[in-house]
Amino acid sequence: MDIGVTYYVTNIIGYMSIYLGINELGKTNQKLLKIRPYIIIMIAHSLIFFLLNITDNSPLKVALSSTPEVIIALVGFVFIIAGMFLVFVIISLILDNLISKVNKELLYNLVNMMMLLFILSGISTYFQNYIPMLATVIMGALLVMEVLFLISYYYVFRSDEKYT
């Protein structure tokens, strides 16, 4: 898992872009505005972890030599995992607001496949000694799935505009 400063800077920029995009799309589809609180939570989540990383206080880099440090590390890990899954909640809510029923199924399948690849990439890092390139291959596949999702979403969104 990438937990560095750069990762959280790009997250903050990305979530702010999503927030601005949802505000713009909300002018034509009011239901999309219900997603804003989740995006604000993710901006705050990324900002907190960014600040923790630049001050070298990341809960995932804490020495595990005492019980309080173990608890801090576990709580931090839980918050990171919760944030990752909240991303998929945001994506699902965005997909729920599409009009097209036919192409929506394709997008849900792509999201499910991305989630599976994401979980597999996390698990595969523990097998790095046995199969060195496994995590890299899975992350490459995840990147391809993300590009396919963005292209598919664009076409589904454009087809929805024809119906509104």
Side-chain angles (χ1 to χ4, degrees):
M1 289 189 295
D2 184 3
I3 56 170
V5 173
T6 306
Y7 175 75
Y8 288 107
V9 168
T10 57
N11 276 357
I12 293 166
I13 293 168
Y15 292 127
M16 288 178 156
S17 299
I18 292 170
Y19 185 83
L20 294 173
I22 291 297
N23 279 340
E24 192 63 31
L25 291 172
K27 293 176 183 176
T28 57
N29 185 348
Q30 291 292 316
K31 291 179 184 178
L32 284 172
L33 296 177
K34 294 178 183 177
I35 300 168
R36 288 190 299 190
Y38 298 107
I39 298 169
I40 292 170
I41 289 169
M42 288 309 298
I43 292 171
H45 179 275
S46 296
L47 187 60
I48 290 167
F49 276 97
F50 168 75
L51 294 172
L52 288 172
N53 274 287
I54 63 171
T55 59
D56 281 333
N57 291 312
S58 173
L60 296 183
K61 294 182 180 179
V62 169
L64 302 176
S65 56
S66 68
T67 303
E69 291 171 337
V70 171
I71 292 170
I72 290 169
L74 288 174
V75 168
F77 184 71
V78 167
F79 276 110
I80 287 175
I81 297 300
M84 291 175 183
F85 281 105
L86 192 55
V87 169
F88 291 104
V89 169
I90 291 168
I91 292 170
S92 295
L93 290 171
I94 291 171
L95 294 180
D96 287 343
N97 288 295
L98 291 173
I99 297 168
S100 174
K101 302 288 185 213
V102 176
N103 296 324
K104 198 187 295 190
E105 185 177 329
L106 167 68
L107 293 174
Y108 278 115
N109 288 337
L110 286 171
V111 169
N112 290 336
M113 289 169 44
M114 286 189 299
M115 221 165 139
L116 176 65
L117 286 172
F118 177 74
I119 292 168
L120 289 175
S121 70
I123 293 170
S124 69
T125 58
Y126 295 107
F127 298 107
Q128 199 87 25
N129 293 337
Y130 307 109
I131 310 171
M133 293 295 293
L134 182 61
T136 305
V137 170
I138 293 173
M139 288 304 291
L142 181 59
L143 181 61
V144 169
M145 294 301 297
E146 289 171 358
V147 170
L148 285 172
F149 174 82
L150 290 173
I151 292 169
S152 300
Y153 182 82
Y154 173 76
Y155 284 110
V156 170
F157 181 76
R158 295 296 294 171
S159 69
D160 275 2
E161 283 184 338
K162 294 176 187 174
Y163 297 113
T164 56

